[in-house]
Amino acid sequence: MHRLPEPDLAYLRQVLLELLAIPSPTGFTDTVVRYVAERLDELGIPFELTRRGTIRATLSGHQSSPDRAVSAHLDTIGAIVREIKDSGRPALAPVGCWSSRFAEGSRVSLFTDHGVLRGSVLPLMASGHAFNTQVDSLPISWDHIELRLDAPCTSRAECEALGVSVGDFVAFDPLPEFTESGHISARHLDDKAGVAALLAALKAVKDSGLEPQIDCHPLFTITEEVGSGAAAALPWDVSEFVGIDIAPVAPGQQSSEHAVSVALQDSGGPYDYHLSRHLLRLAAEDDIPVRRDLFRYYHSDAQSAVTAGHDIRVALLAFGCDATHGYERTHIDSLAALTRLIGAYLLSPPVFASDAKPAQEHSLERFSHQIEHDAQLASDTQVPNLDSVLGARPDTPG
């Protein structure tokens, strides 16, 4: 297999910065969809859009089947107006699963049907000079924060006169910072850093002139944060699906801000044994820093495709990130490793070429082995047989 050149990290950084500048909480993704579609046009990669805006692209290979898909999501966490209080301040409900702890103090944009209003998310007791130590007594919940708009707005009528309505989207400022140490801090790196890495990998393949062995379909989904993600995104005969997302760097986790993670299980269950180990082998062959990890409170595009009923092998690649769904931080090392591994995967042979053919009835000829059959059966010698555990059967002679 040909090795790709090193990824264009300047391109990755630029794309990431531009993605972060586009508000895209789940349900409010049209603009970011247009942006990614323009990048695919620049790369010469054809695509189609679903009705709601999931992008389905095709990177043509030497053969069209079995084909594979690689997915990153464009939507982010955010909020939505739940109520307009008598005080004129909107109450918020979260979009996606995240704590109000990370919303407090944020600068935001509220999108009315006719324009944009700026404001700050504050706890109900926000002034230390008025409430003293009571400011520390509030519970952490979305019921205990509110939006202060930067506009004349001291009553419900005034707020409604500004055009604010229940159901208006609220996007949280990303506040990106790229430091000389290589760290990248911002909100919404989940999954805009993954999107940037996927686009950079696609650019590396196109720039190299190398042809993938099989067709690959880059997907950019718009509802991952609310669970549906890639459920309806696969019109082709896809046999392999690799999701791209975020890997939490925290106590009890194995992921690193300086490596790419291969997730072997999340809240949806284990990922495919063979596809996951294919990715690990590719990382080893190309000297890509890699970690194996499990994500307990986590769900991905790949698992949403399986839940929707697709008979596919699924795996997950992720960049290491500290403080996920908060003010997130990763390192360019992790994004470079992720980009390199995506590129290696795009050019790799299918895990099972036989996946292109329908299963033969009453035949195990093409079915996979997780461990060689004889080796797996040999493990039985280490386990007591049933008779030795239960004693001789009553009808067994002497």
Side-chain angles (χ1 to χ4, degrees), residues 200-213:
L202 293 171
K203 181 178 186 295
V205 172
K206 295 293 287 187
D207 288 349
S208 72
L210 299 173
E211 182 183 38
Q213 296 193 31

Side-chain angles (χ1 to χ4, degrees), residues 295-313:
F295 304 144
R296 294 167 291 172
Y297 311 111
Y298 189 110
H299 191 79
S300 75
D301 271 343
Q303 290 291 15
S304 68
V306 171
T307 303
H310 294 286
D311 182 23
I312 52 177
R313 304 180 188 279

